């Protein structure tokens, strides 16, 4: 995955934090503290991509706006669970996603990890 593609995908993967951000603010960009956190982030990122792809197909097939909203709510819960299953918080995951967008070296390392 190219750096630009990673940044583009990363922009779509921000999860809504449990507490919310002040309007106009996002998470402070961060990079993984160690290889273990990098692996956790990559695994969560890949799982979220799969959840989003499956949810989008279900939303497109939904017969009502209410059904589509239910799919979205369920997908969001699944994405939060995927992040937490890797030992990350939603805030930390979002900070790492922001780091992907802000740090070219991190983006390159992340891209290499995604290809393994």
């Amino acid at each position: 995955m190219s750096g630009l593609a990673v940044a583009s995908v990363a922009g779509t993967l921000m999860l809504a934090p449990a507490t919310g951000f002040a309007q106009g603010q996002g998470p402070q960009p961060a990079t993984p503290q160690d290889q273990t956190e990098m692996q956790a982030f990559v695994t969560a990122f890949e799982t979220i991509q799969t959840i989003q792809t499956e949810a989008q197909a279900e939303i497109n097939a939904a017969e009502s706006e209410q059904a589509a909203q239910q799919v979205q709510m369920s997908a969001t819960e699944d994405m939060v669970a995927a992040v937490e299953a890797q030992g990350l918080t939603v805030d930390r995951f979002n900070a790492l996603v922001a780091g992907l967008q802000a740090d070219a070296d991190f983006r390159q390392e992340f891209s290499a990890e995604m290809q393994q």
Side-chain angles (χ1 to χ4, degrees):
M1 183 176 278
S2 74
L4 183 57
V6 168
S8 175
V9 170
T12 66
L13 291 181
M14 285 281 191
L15 293 176
T19 58
F21 291 118
Q23 190 170 10
Q25 290 184 323
Q28 291 295 317
T31 58
Q33 296 174 345
D34 54 31
Q35 189 60 31
T36 300
E37 188 176 45
M38 172 64 96
Q39 282 302 117
F41 177 61
V42 167
T43 300
F45 192 97
E46 290 172 330
T47 303
I48 287 172
Q49 282 184 307
T50 300
I51 292 167
Q52 284 185 325
T53 300
E54 292 170 359
Q56 190 59 54
E58 289 181 40
I59 288 168
N60 291 343
E63 295 186 15
S64 69
E65 183 66 26
Q66 185 177 15
Q69 288 176 349
Q70 182 60 40
V71 169
Q72 183 60 49
M73 287 178 16
S74 178
T76 299
E77 291 171 5
D78 291 347
M79 289 185 284
V80 169
V83 166
E84 291 174 347
Q86 293 304 314
L88 299 170
T89 65
V90 170
D91 287 341
R92 181 65 181 162
F93 178 85
N94 285 342
L96 292 169
V97 170
L100 277 179
Q101 295 168 330
D103 185 322
D105 291 336
F106 175 31
R107 215 172 17 254
Q108 184 175 11
E109 183 181 351
F110 176 80
S111 186
E113 289 289 327
M114 290 283 289
Q115 292 175 6
Q116 290 184 8

